[in-house]
Short mmCIF file of all heavy atoms in Angstrom, two decimals:
data_model
loop_
_atom_site.label_atom_id
_atom_site.label_comp_id
_atom_site.label_asym_id
_atom_site.label_seq_id
_atom_site.Cartn_x
_atom_site.Cartn_y
_atom_site.Cartn_z
N LEU C 1 -115.73 -211.64 153.74
CA LEU C 1 -116.47 -211.86 152.49
C LEU C 1 -116.27 -210.71 151.50
O LEU C 1 -116.14 -210.94 150.32
CB LEU C 1 -117.97 -211.98 152.76
CG LEU C 1 -118.39 -213.27 153.50
CD1 LEU C 1 -119.85 -213.24 153.86
CD2 LEU C 1 -118.04 -214.51 152.68
N CYS C 2 -116.24 -209.55 152.03
CA CYS C 2 -116.06 -208.36 151.14
C CYS C 2 -114.69 -208.41 150.39
O CYS C 2 -114.60 -208.22 149.23
CB CYS C 2 -116.19 -207.00 151.86
SG CYS C 2 -117.86 -206.64 152.37
N GLY C 3 -113.69 -208.74 151.17
CA GLY C 3 -112.32 -208.88 150.59
C GLY C 3 -112.30 -209.94 149.51
O GLY C 3 -111.69 -209.70 148.45
N ALA C 4 -112.92 -211.07 149.72
CA ALA C 4 -112.94 -212.11 148.71
C ALA C 4 -113.71 -211.71 147.48
O ALA C 4 -113.40 -212.16 146.43
CB ALA C 4 -113.59 -213.35 149.33
N ALA C 5 -114.61 -210.74 147.61
CA ALA C 5 -115.41 -210.27 146.47
C ALA C 5 -114.77 -209.05 145.85
O ALA C 5 -115.35 -208.45 144.91
CB ALA C 5 -116.84 -209.97 146.95
N GLY C 6 -113.62 -208.64 146.41
CA GLY C 6 -112.93 -207.43 145.82
C GLY C 6 -113.53 -206.12 146.26
O GLY C 6 -113.33 -205.08 145.61
N ILE C 7 -114.30 -206.12 147.35
CA ILE C 7 -114.89 -204.89 147.86
C ILE C 7 -114.08 -204.39 149.02
O ILE C 7 -113.84 -205.10 150.02
CB ILE C 7 -116.36 -205.24 148.32
CG1 ILE C 7 -117.21 -205.68 147.23
CG2 ILE C 7 -117.02 -203.93 148.99
CD1 ILE C 7 -118.53 -206.22 147.56
N GLU C 8 -113.69 -203.12 148.93
CA GLU C 8 -112.95 -202.52 150.07
C GLU C 8 -113.92 -202.27 151.24
O GLU C 8 -114.95 -201.67 151.05
CB GLU C 8 -112.40 -201.13 149.61
CG GLU C 8 -111.55 -200.41 150.63
CD GLU C 8 -110.99 -199.13 150.16
OE1 GLU C 8 -111.40 -198.66 149.05
OE2 GLU C 8 -110.18 -198.54 150.88
N ALA C 9 -113.52 -202.81 152.39
CA ALA C 9 -114.44 -202.73 153.57
C ALA C 9 -113.66 -202.66 154.85
O ALA C 9 -112.47 -203.08 154.88
CB ALA C 9 -115.33 -203.95 153.58
N TYR C 10 -114.22 -202.08 155.85
CA TYR C 10 -113.60 -201.94 157.15
C TYR C 10 -114.62 -202.42 158.23
O TYR C 10 -115.83 -202.18 158.07
CB TYR C 10 -113.32 -200.48 157.41
CG TYR C 10 -112.34 -199.85 156.45
CD1 TYR C 10 -112.86 -199.35 155.23
CD2 TYR C 10 -111.00 -199.90 156.64
CE1 TYR C 10 -111.97 -198.82 154.29
CE2 TYR C 10 -110.14 -199.35 155.76
CZ TYR C 10 -110.62 -198.84 154.54
OH TYR C 10 -109.80 -198.29 153.65
N VAL C 11 -114.12 -202.99 159.32
CA VAL C 11 -114.92 -203.28 160.48
C VAL C 11 -114.64 -202.09 161.44
O VAL C 11 -113.57 -201.80 161.76
CB VAL C 11 -114.49 -204.59 161.15
CG1 VAL C 11 -115.26 -204.78 162.45
CG2 VAL C 11 -114.75 -205.75 160.21
N VAL C 12 -115.77 -201.43 161.82
CA VAL C 12 -115.68 -200.23 162.64
C VAL C 12 -115.95 -200.67 164.08
O VAL C 12 -116.91 -201.36 164.37
CB VAL C 12 -116.71 -199.17 162.25
CG1 VAL C 12 -116.60 -197.99 163.12
CG2 VAL C 12 -116.52 -198.84 160.73
N GLU C 13 -115.02 -200.25 165.00
CA GLU C 13 -115.27 -200.43 166.42
C GLU C 13 -115.72 -199.11 166.96
O GLU C 13 -115.04 -198.09 166.81
CB GLU C 13 -113.99 -200.89 167.09
CG GLU C 13 -114.12 -201.09 168.58
CD GLU C 13 -112.89 -201.52 169.28
OE1 GLU C 13 -111.85 -201.77 168.60
OE2 GLU C 13 -112.86 -201.58 170.53
N GLY C 14 -116.84 -199.08 167.61
CA GLY C 14 -117.36 -197.81 168.18
C GLY C 14 -118.43 -198.09 169.18
O GLY C 14 -118.44 -199.15 169.81
N LEU C 15 -119.31 -197.11 169.26
CA LEU C 15 -120.44 -197.19 170.22
C LEU C 15 -121.77 -196.99 169.49
O LEU C 15 -121.85 -196.21 168.56
CB LEU C 15 -120.31 -196.13 171.30
CG LEU C 15 -119.00 -196.14 172.18
CD1 LEU C 15 -118.97 -194.89 173.03
CD2 LEU C 15 -118.92 -197.42 172.97
N LEU C 16 -122.77 -197.71 170.00
CA LEU C 16 -124.15 -197.49 169.51
C LEU C 16 -124.99 -197.24 170.73
O LEU C 16 -125.03 -198.12 171.61
CB LEU C 16 -124.65 -198.75 168.75
CG LEU C 16 -126.15 -198.71 168.41
CD1 LEU C 16 -126.46 -197.53 167.51
CD2 LEU C 16 -126.54 -200.03 167.76
N SER C 17 -125.52 -196.08 170.86
CA SER C 17 -126.30 -195.67 172.04
C SER C 17 -125.51 -195.89 173.32
O SER C 17 -126.01 -196.37 174.28
CB SER C 17 -127.64 -196.40 172.07
OG SER C 17 -128.34 -196.07 170.95
N GLY C 18 -124.16 -195.62 173.25
CA GLY C 18 -123.32 -195.67 174.45
C GLY C 18 -122.76 -197.05 174.75
O GLY C 18 -121.95 -197.25 175.63
N GLU C 19 -123.14 -198.08 173.98
CA GLU C 19 -122.67 -199.41 174.19
C GLU C 19 -121.68 -199.87 173.10
O GLU C 19 -121.88 -199.47 171.91
CB GLU C 19 -123.83 -200.44 174.17
CG GLU C 19 -124.87 -200.26 175.25
CD GLU C 19 -124.42 -200.64 176.63
OE1 GLU C 19 -123.59 -201.52 176.72
OE2 GLU C 19 -124.85 -199.94 177.58
N ARG C 20 -120.63 -200.61 173.47
CA ARG C 20 -119.71 -201.03 172.45
C ARG C 20 -120.43 -201.83 171.35
O ARG C 20 -121.33 -202.64 171.59
CB ARG C 20 -118.64 -201.99 173.10
CG ARG C 20 -117.61 -202.50 172.08
CD ARG C 20 -116.58 -203.34 172.66
NE ARG C 20 -115.67 -202.38 173.34
CZ ARG C 20 -114.70 -202.79 174.10
NH1 ARG C 20 -114.44 -204.07 174.27
NH2 ARG C 20 -113.88 -201.93 174.68
N HIS C 21 -120.03 -201.47 170.12
CA HIS C 21 -120.68 -202.06 168.92
C HIS C 21 -119.77 -202.07 167.77
O HIS C 21 -118.84 -201.29 167.68
CB HIS C 21 -121.92 -201.19 168.63
CG HIS C 21 -122.82 -201.68 167.57
ND1 HIS C 21 -123.60 -202.82 167.79
CD2 HIS C 21 -123.07 -201.36 166.31
CE1 HIS C 21 -124.36 -203.08 166.70
NE2 HIS C 21 -124.00 -202.21 165.82
N TYR C 22 -119.95 -202.99 166.84
CA TYR C 22 -119.17 -203.11 165.59
C TYR C 22 -120.12 -203.13 164.41
O TYR C 22 -121.17 -203.67 164.40
CB TYR C 22 -118.39 -204.45 165.64
CG TYR C 22 -117.39 -204.52 166.77
CD1 TYR C 22 -117.80 -205.02 168.01
CD2 TYR C 22 -116.10 -204.11 166.61
CE1 TYR C 22 -116.95 -205.05 169.04
CE2 TYR C 22 -115.17 -204.14 167.65
CZ TYR C 22 -115.60 -204.66 168.84
OH TYR C 22 -114.73 -204.70 169.92
N TRP C 23 -119.67 -202.46 163.36
CA TRP C 23 -120.41 -202.46 162.09
C TRP C 23 -119.41 -202.28 160.96
O TRP C 23 -118.18 -202.34 161.21
CB TRP C 23 -121.49 -201.44 162.08
CG TRP C 23 -121.02 -199.99 162.13
CD1 TRP C 23 -120.78 -199.09 161.11
CD2 TRP C 23 -120.59 -199.20 163.29
NE1 TRP C 23 -120.31 -197.88 161.54
CE2 TRP C 23 -120.19 -197.94 162.89
CE3 TRP C 23 -120.57 -199.53 164.66
CZ2 TRP C 23 -119.79 -196.96 163.79
CZ3 TRP C 23 -120.18 -198.54 165.54
CH2 TRP C 23 -119.76 -197.25 165.11
N ASN C 24 -119.89 -202.13 159.74
CA ASN C 24 -118.97 -202.09 158.60
C ASN C 24 -119.07 -200.77 157.84
O ASN C 24 -120.11 -200.09 157.90
CB ASN C 24 -119.26 -203.22 157.63
CG ASN C 24 -119.17 -204.58 158.26
OD1 ASN C 24 -120.13 -205.16 158.68
ND2 ASN C 24 -117.93 -205.05 158.37
N ILE C 25 -118.02 -200.44 157.24
CA ILE C 25 -117.95 -199.38 156.21
C ILE C 25 -117.49 -200.06 154.94
O ILE C 25 -116.50 -200.80 154.93
CB ILE C 25 -116.97 -198.21 156.60
CG1 ILE C 25 -117.53 -197.40 157.76
CG2 ILE C 25 -116.75 -197.30 155.36
CD1 ILE C 25 -116.64 -196.30 158.22
N VAL C 26 -118.27 -199.85 153.86
CA VAL C 26 -117.90 -200.48 152.54
C VAL C 26 -117.84 -199.42 151.48
O VAL C 26 -118.50 -198.37 151.54
CB VAL C 26 -118.93 -201.57 152.13
CG1 VAL C 26 -118.94 -202.69 153.15
CG2 VAL C 26 -120.31 -200.97 151.99
N ASN C 27 -117.00 -199.69 150.48
CA ASN C 27 -116.86 -198.78 149.35
C ASN C 27 -117.74 -199.35 148.22
O ASN C 27 -117.47 -200.49 147.72
CB ASN C 27 -115.36 -198.78 148.95
CG ASN C 27 -115.12 -197.82 147.82
OD1 ASN C 27 -115.98 -197.46 147.04
ND2 ASN C 27 -113.87 -197.38 147.69
N VAL C 28 -118.69 -198.61 147.78
CA VAL C 28 -119.57 -199.00 146.69
C VAL C 28 -119.44 -197.94 145.63
O VAL C 28 -119.80 -196.82 145.75
CB VAL C 28 -121.02 -199.06 147.14
CG1 VAL C 28 -121.96 -199.40 145.95
CG2 VAL C 28 -121.22 -200.05 148.28
N ARG C 29 -118.78 -198.37 144.53
CA ARG C 29 -118.57 -197.51 143.34
C ARG C 29 -117.88 -196.16 143.72
O ARG C 29 -118.27 -195.09 143.26
CB ARG C 29 -119.89 -197.26 142.61
CG ARG C 29 -120.46 -198.50 142.04
CD ARG C 29 -121.68 -198.25 141.27
NE ARG C 29 -122.22 -199.52 140.76
CZ ARG C 29 -123.50 -199.78 140.65
NH1 ARG C 29 -124.40 -198.81 140.91
NH2 ARG C 29 -123.96 -200.93 140.28
N GLY C 30 -116.90 -196.23 144.64
CA GLY C 30 -116.14 -195.07 144.96
C GLY C 30 -116.66 -194.27 146.11
O GLY C 30 -116.12 -193.23 146.44
N THR C 31 -117.79 -194.64 146.70
CA THR C 31 -118.38 -193.93 147.79
C THR C 31 -118.46 -194.90 148.98
O THR C 31 -118.93 -196.03 148.86
CB THR C 31 -119.81 -193.44 147.48
OG1 THR C 31 -119.73 -192.53 146.33
CG2 THR C 31 -120.40 -192.69 148.64
N PHE C 32 -118.07 -194.37 150.17
CA PHE C 32 -118.09 -195.27 151.39
C PHE C 32 -119.41 -195.09 152.12
O PHE C 32 -120.00 -193.98 152.16
CB PHE C 32 -116.93 -194.88 152.34
CG PHE C 32 -115.62 -195.30 151.86
CD1 PHE C 32 -114.78 -194.39 151.19
CD2 PHE C 32 -115.19 -196.61 152.06
CE1 PHE C 32 -113.58 -194.84 150.73
CE2 PHE C 32 -113.94 -197.00 151.62
CZ PHE C 32 -113.16 -196.15 150.92
N TYR C 33 -119.94 -196.16 152.68
CA TYR C 33 -121.18 -196.17 153.42
C TYR C 33 -121.05 -197.00 154.71
O TYR C 33 -120.29 -197.99 154.68
CB TYR C 33 -122.28 -196.78 152.58
CG TYR C 33 -122.64 -196.03 151.36
CD1 TYR C 33 -122.09 -196.50 150.11
CD2 TYR C 33 -123.51 -194.98 151.33
CE1 TYR C 33 -122.44 -195.83 148.95
CE2 TYR C 33 -123.86 -194.31 150.18
CZ TYR C 33 -123.28 -194.73 148.97
OH TYR C 33 -123.62 -194.06 147.82
N HIS C 34 -121.78 -196.62 155.70
CA HIS C 34 -121.92 -197.48 156.92
C HIS C 34 -123.02 -198.48 156.61
O HIS C 34 -124.05 -198.17 156.04
CB HIS C 34 -122.42 -196.57 158.05
CG HIS C 34 -121.39 -195.62 158.56
ND1 HIS C 34 -120.45 -195.83 159.50
CD2 HIS C 34 -121.23 -194.29 158.18
CE1 HIS C 34 -119.76 -194.74 159.75
NE2 HIS C 34 -120.18 -193.78 158.94
N ILE C 35 -122.70 -199.68 157.09
CA ILE C 35 -123.72 -200.79 156.98
C ILE C 35 -123.70 -201.50 158.33
O ILE C 35 -122.67 -202.00 158.78
CB ILE C 35 -123.39 -201.72 155.83
CG1 ILE C 35 -123.45 -201.00 154.49
CG2 ILE C 35 -124.33 -202.98 155.88
CD1 ILE C 35 -123.13 -201.92 153.31
N ASP C 36 -124.87 -201.64 158.93
CA ASP C 36 -124.95 -202.35 160.24
C ASP C 36 -125.95 -203.50 160.06
O ASP C 36 -127.14 -203.30 160.25
CB ASP C 36 -125.40 -201.35 161.33
CG ASP C 36 -125.33 -201.99 162.70
OD1 ASP C 36 -125.21 -203.21 162.77
OD2 ASP C 36 -125.44 -201.22 163.71
N LEU C 37 -125.40 -204.62 159.69
CA LEU C 37 -126.24 -205.79 159.46
C LEU C 37 -126.85 -206.37 160.72
O LEU C 37 -127.87 -206.98 160.72
CB LEU C 37 -125.53 -206.86 158.69
CG LEU C 37 -125.08 -206.42 157.26
CD1 LEU C 37 -124.28 -207.57 156.62
CD2 LEU C 37 -126.28 -206.02 156.43
N PHE C 38 -126.22 -206.18 161.88
CA PHE C 38 -126.77 -206.62 163.10
C PHE C 38 -128.07 -205.95 163.37
O PHE C 38 -129.08 -206.57 163.71
CB PHE C 38 -125.77 -206.33 164.23
CG PHE C 38 -126.29 -206.77 165.60
CD1 PHE C 38 -126.28 -208.09 165.97
CD2 PHE C 38 -126.75 -205.82 166.44
CE1 PHE C 38 -126.75 -208.49 167.24
CE2 PHE C 38 -127.27 -206.18 167.70
CZ PHE C 38 -127.27 -207.55 168.10
N LYS C 39 -128.10 -204.59 163.24
CA LYS C 39 -129.35 -203.89 163.43
C LYS C 39 -130.36 -204.16 162.37
O LYS C 39 -131.52 -204.13 162.56
CB LYS C 39 -129.08 -202.38 163.56
CG LYS C 39 -128.48 -202.02 164.86
CD LYS C 39 -128.44 -200.56 165.11
CE LYS C 39 -129.70 -199.77 165.01
NZ LYS C 39 -130.69 -199.91 166.06
N ALA C 40 -129.92 -204.48 161.13
CA ALA C 40 -130.81 -204.70 160.02
C ALA C 40 -131.67 -205.93 160.27
O ALA C 40 -132.78 -206.06 159.86
CB ALA C 40 -130.03 -204.92 158.75
N ALA C 41 -131.11 -206.85 161.05
CA ALA C 41 -131.81 -208.11 161.37
C ALA C 41 -133.06 -207.93 162.24
O ALA C 41 -133.92 -208.76 162.23
CB ALA C 41 -130.86 -209.15 161.97
N ASP C 42 -133.04 -206.87 163.06
CA ASP C 42 -134.15 -206.72 164.01
C ASP C 42 -134.89 -205.44 163.98
O ASP C 42 -135.69 -205.17 164.83
CB ASP C 42 -133.63 -207.00 165.43
CG ASP C 42 -132.64 -205.99 165.93
OD1 ASP C 42 -132.31 -205.01 165.14
OD2 ASP C 42 -132.15 -206.05 167.06
N GLU C 43 -134.58 -204.57 162.94
CA GLU C 43 -135.26 -203.28 162.94
C GLU C 43 -135.68 -202.94 161.55
O GLU C 43 -135.07 -203.33 160.55
CB GLU C 43 -134.36 -202.17 163.47
CG GLU C 43 -133.98 -202.45 164.94
CD GLU C 43 -133.60 -201.23 165.72
OE1 GLU C 43 -133.89 -200.12 165.25
OE2 GLU C 43 -133.00 -201.41 166.75
N SER C 44 -136.70 -202.09 161.41
CA SER C 44 -137.18 -201.72 160.10
C SER C 44 -136.50 -200.44 159.61
O SER C 44 -136.74 -200.05 158.48
CB SER C 44 -138.72 -201.56 160.13
OG SER C 44 -139.05 -200.51 161.02
N GLU C 45 -135.83 -199.74 160.47
CA GLU C 45 -135.17 -198.43 160.00
C GLU C 45 -134.01 -198.70 159.08
O GLU C 45 -133.48 -199.83 158.96
CB GLU C 45 -134.72 -197.69 161.25
CG GLU C 45 -133.58 -198.29 162.01
CD GLU C 45 -133.23 -197.60 163.25
OE1 GLU C 45 -133.87 -197.82 164.25
OE2 GLU C 45 -132.25 -196.79 163.15
N GLN C 46 -133.67 -197.69 158.37
CA GLN C 46 -132.57 -197.75 157.39
C GLN C 46 -131.24 -197.91 158.17
O GLN C 46 -130.89 -197.06 158.98
CB GLN C 46 -132.53 -196.46 156.57
CG GLN C 46 -131.33 -196.35 155.64
CD GLN C 46 -131.46 -197.24 154.44
OE1 GLN C 46 -132.52 -197.72 154.10
NE2 GLN C 46 -130.37 -197.44 153.74
N VAL C 47 -130.55 -199.01 157.96
CA VAL C 47 -129.25 -199.27 158.61
C VAL C 47 -128.22 -199.68 157.59
O VAL C 47 -127.15 -200.17 158.01
CB VAL C 47 -129.43 -200.32 159.74
CG1 VAL C 47 -130.22 -199.73 160.89
CG2 VAL C 47 -130.06 -201.60 159.28
N VAL C 48 -128.49 -199.55 156.37
CA VAL C 48 -127.48 -199.82 155.31
C VAL C 48 -127.31 -198.58 154.41
O VAL C 48 -128.28 -197.82 154.27
CB VAL C 48 -127.82 -201.08 154.54
CG1 VAL C 48 -127.86 -202.31 155.39
CG2 VAL C 48 -129.15 -200.94 153.78
N PHE C 49 -126.19 -198.43 153.82
CA PHE C 49 -125.84 -197.34 152.94
C PHE C 49 -126.10 -195.98 153.57
O PHE C 49 -126.75 -195.11 153.02
CB PHE C 49 -126.62 -197.47 151.56
CG PHE C 49 -126.29 -198.77 150.88
CD1 PHE C 49 -127.22 -199.71 150.71
CD2 PHE C 49 -124.99 -199.04 150.48
CE1 PHE C 49 -126.94 -200.95 150.10
CE2 PHE C 49 -124.63 -200.23 149.82
CZ PHE C 49 -125.71 -201.18 149.65
N MET C 50 -125.61 -195.83 154.87
CA MET C 50 -125.80 -194.64 155.58
C MET C 50 -124.51 -193.75 155.51
O MET C 50 -123.41 -194.24 155.47
CB MET C 50 -126.00 -195.02 157.04
CG MET C 50 -127.26 -195.86 157.27
SD MET C 50 -127.50 -196.34 159.00
CE MET C 50 -126.15 -197.43 159.22
N SER C 51 -124.73 -192.46 155.57
CA SER C 51 -123.69 -191.49 155.59
C SER C 51 -123.25 -191.26 157.07
O SER C 51 -123.94 -191.68 158.01
CB SER C 51 -124.07 -190.17 154.99
OG SER C 51 -125.00 -189.50 155.82
N ASP C 52 -122.07 -190.57 157.23
CA ASP C 52 -121.68 -190.18 158.56
C ASP C 52 -122.81 -189.34 159.30
O ASP C 52 -123.09 -189.58 160.45
CB ASP C 52 -120.39 -189.35 158.53
CG ASP C 52 -119.20 -190.14 158.25
OD1 ASP C 52 -119.17 -191.38 158.32
OD2 ASP C 52 -118.16 -189.52 157.80
N ASP C 53 -123.39 -188.47 158.50
CA ASP C 53 -124.50 -187.64 159.05
C ASP C 53 -125.67 -188.50 159.51
O ASP C 53 -126.33 -188.17 160.48
CB ASP C 53 -124.96 -186.57 158.10
CG ASP C 53 -123.88 -185.50 157.84
OD1 ASP C 53 -122.96 -185.35 158.69
OD2 ASP C 53 -123.98 -184.85 156.75
N ASP C 54 -125.96 -189.57 158.75
CA ASP C 54 -127.10 -190.45 159.09
C ASP C 54 -126.85 -191.16 160.45
O ASP C 54 -127.82 -191.38 161.15
CB ASP C 54 -127.29 -191.48 157.97
CG ASP C 54 -127.75 -190.95 156.68
OD1 ASP C 54 -128.36 -189.86 156.66
OD2 ASP C 54 -127.50 -191.59 155.65
N VAL C 55 -125.67 -191.52 160.74
CA VAL C 55 -125.39 -192.38 161.87
C VAL C 55 -124.92 -191.66 163.10
O VAL C 55 -124.96 -192.20 164.20
CB VAL C 55 -124.46 -193.51 161.55
CG1 VAL C 55 -124.97 -194.41 160.45
CG2 VAL C 55 -123.05 -193.02 161.20
N GLU C 56 -124.49 -190.42 162.95
CA GLU C 56 -123.80 -189.72 164.13
C GLU C 56 -124.77 -189.51 165.27
O GLU C 56 -124.31 -189.27 166.40
CB GLU C 56 -123.17 -188.43 163.69
CG GLU C 56 -124.14 -187.33 163.31
CD GLU C 56 -123.44 -186.05 162.88
OE1 GLU C 56 -122.15 -186.00 162.97
OE2 GLU C 56 -124.14 -185.13 162.45
N LYS C 57 -126.05 -189.59 165.09
CA LYS C 57 -126.98 -189.38 166.22
C LYS C 57 -126.94 -190.48 167.23
O LYS C 57 -127.12 -190.25 168.44
CB LYS C 57 -128.41 -189.27 165.63
CG LYS C 57 -129.48 -188.90 166.66
CD LYS C 57 -130.81 -188.68 166.08
CE LYS C 57 -131.89 -188.31 167.01
NZ LYS C 57 -133.20 -188.08 166.47
N TYR C 58 -126.69 -191.72 166.74
CA TYR C 58 -126.69 -192.90 167.67
C TYR C 58 -125.32 -193.54 167.78
O TYR C 58 -125.05 -194.28 168.71
CB TYR C 58 -127.69 -193.93 167.17
CG TYR C 58 -129.08 -193.35 167.16
CD1 TYR C 58 -129.77 -193.03 165.99
CD2 TYR C 58 -129.80 -193.11 168.37
CE1 TYR C 58 -131.04 -192.49 166.01
CE2 TYR C 58 -131.10 -192.62 168.38
CZ TYR C 58 -131.72 -192.26 167.17
OH TYR C 58 -132.97 -191.73 167.14
N TYR C 59 -124.48 -193.42 166.75
CA TYR C 59 -123.20 -194.12 166.69
C TYR C 59 -122.08 -193.13 167.01
O TYR C 59 -122.17 -191.97 166.68
CB TYR C 59 -122.93 -194.64 165.29
CG TYR C 59 -123.87 -195.78 164.85
CD1 TYR C 59 -125.11 -195.52 164.46
CD2 TYR C 59 -123.42 -197.07 164.78
CE1 TYR C 59 -126.00 -196.52 163.99
CE2 TYR C 59 -124.22 -198.11 164.37
CZ TYR C 59 -125.49 -197.79 163.94
OH TYR C 59 -126.30 -198.82 163.47
N ALA C 60 -121.03 -193.66 167.65
CA ALA C 60 -119.83 -192.90 167.86
C ALA C 60 -118.65 -193.75 167.47
O ALA C 60 -118.59 -194.94 167.74
CB ALA C 60 -119.71 -192.51 169.32
N TRP C 61 -117.67 -193.16 166.73
CA TRP C 61 -116.49 -193.88 166.34
C TRP C 61 -115.34 -192.86 166.07
O TRP C 61 -115.62 -191.65 166.03
CB TRP C 61 -116.78 -194.67 165.05
CG TRP C 61 -117.07 -193.83 163.89
CD1 TRP C 61 -116.16 -193.59 162.84
CD2 TRP C 61 -118.24 -193.11 163.48
NE1 TRP C 61 -116.75 -192.75 161.86
CE2 TRP C 61 -118.01 -192.47 162.28
CE3 TRP C 61 -119.46 -192.95 164.14
CZ2 TRP C 61 -118.99 -191.66 161.67
CZ3 TRP C 61 -120.43 -192.18 163.51
CH2 TRP C 61 -120.17 -191.53 162.27
N ASP C 62 -114.17 -193.43 165.98
CA ASP C 62 -113.00 -192.50 165.68
C ASP C 62 -113.04 -192.19 164.20
O ASP C 62 -112.58 -192.99 163.37
CB ASP C 62 -111.73 -193.29 166.07
CG ASP C 62 -110.45 -192.47 165.81
OD1 ASP C 62 -110.55 -191.30 165.24
OD2 ASP C 62 -109.37 -192.94 166.12
N ARG C 63 -113.55 -191.08 163.83
CA ARG C 63 -113.69 -190.66 162.40
C ARG C 63 -112.40 -190.64 161.67
O ARG C 63 -112.29 -190.79 160.53
CB ARG C 63 -114.43 -189.37 162.35
CG ARG C 63 -115.89 -189.48 162.65
CD ARG C 63 -116.52 -188.11 162.46
NE ARG C 63 -118.00 -188.23 162.76
CZ ARG C 63 -118.90 -187.71 162.03
NH1 ARG C 63 -118.63 -187.03 160.96
NH2 ARG C 63 -120.16 -187.81 162.35
N GLU C 64 -111.29 -190.36 162.40
CA GLU C 64 -110.02 -190.23 161.78
C GLU C 64 -109.46 -191.61 161.38
O GLU C 64 -108.58 -191.69 160.57
CB GLU C 64 -109.01 -189.51 162.64
CG GLU C 64 -109.59 -188.13 163.00
CD GLU C 64 -108.57 -186.98 162.87
OE1 GLU C 64 -107.43 -187.30 162.63
OE2 GLU C 64 -109.11 -185.87 162.97
N ALA C 65 -109.96 -192.66 162.00
CA ALA C 65 -109.46 -194.01 161.73
C ALA C 65 -110.10 -194.71 160.52
O ALA C 65 -109.63 -195.77 160.12
CB ALA C 65 -109.67 -194.87 162.96
N TYR C 66 -111.15 -194.08 160.02
CA TYR C 66 -111.97 -194.72 158.92
C TYR C 66 -112.24 -193.71 157.85
O TYR C 66 -112.27 -192.51 158.09
CB TYR C 66 -113.27 -195.28 159.46
CG TYR C 66 -113.03 -196.25 160.63
CD1 TYR C 66 -113.15 -195.85 161.93
CD2 TYR C 66 -112.75 -197.58 160.34
CE1 TYR C 66 -112.99 -196.76 162.95
CE2 TYR C 66 -112.55 -198.46 161.36
CZ TYR C 66 -112.64 -198.06 162.71
OH TYR C 66 -112.45 -198.94 163.71
N PRO C 67 -112.56 -194.20 156.60
CA PRO C 67 -112.90 -193.25 155.53
C PRO C 67 -114.19 -192.55 155.83
O PRO C 67 -115.09 -193.04 156.44
CB PRO C 67 -113.06 -194.13 154.30
CG PRO C 67 -112.49 -195.43 154.63
CD PRO C 67 -112.49 -195.54 156.14
N ALA C 68 -114.32 -191.31 155.35
CA ALA C 68 -115.53 -190.54 155.50
C ALA C 68 -116.64 -191.15 154.59
O ALA C 68 -116.30 -191.62 153.56
CB ALA C 68 -115.34 -189.06 155.08
N CYS C 69 -117.86 -191.14 155.15
CA CYS C 69 -118.96 -191.75 154.47
C CYS C 69 -119.98 -190.65 154.09
O CYS C 69 -120.23 -189.75 154.85
CB CYS C 69 -119.67 -192.77 155.30
SG CYS C 69 -118.65 -194.21 155.73
#
């Protein structure tokens, strides 16, 4: 959907609390953000427009494979 809308986006393969998990990185006005819509559906915590620093406590991913957020 992002590609069709002209939004640069990536599907991130990584870990969430040690379990395999997938989420997105999107470019919004020249800045990249993590967005985890799966978690957004069942939790009240902030899970969209997150920086690398915001997510590194629970998420793990190959930082070299994706843009810095």
Side-chain angles (χ1 to χ4, degrees):
L1 289 173
C2 288
I7 299 169
E8 183 180 7
Y10 301 85
V11 175
V12 181
E13 179 180 355
L15 301 173
L16 172 61
S17 299
E19 299 288 328
R20 180 176 284 175
H21 189 69
Y22 298 86
W23 65 97
N24 302 98
I25 289 177
V26 299
N27 183 338
V28 178
R29 298 183 183 145
T31 302
F32 288 96
Y33 297 97
H34 294 270
I35 296 179
D36 188 346
L37 295 179
F38 178 78
K39 285 190 57 74
D42 67 358
E43 300 203 17
S44 61
E45 66 184 83
Q46 175 74 17
V47 291
V48 298
F49 303 115
M50 299 176 292
S51 71
D52 288 342
D53 292 340
D54 292 335
V55 299
E56 71 181 355
K57 184 174 181 181
Y58 300 106
Y59 294 76
W61 68 102
D62 179 357
R63 288 182 179 224
E64 304 228 350
Y66 304 97
C69 298

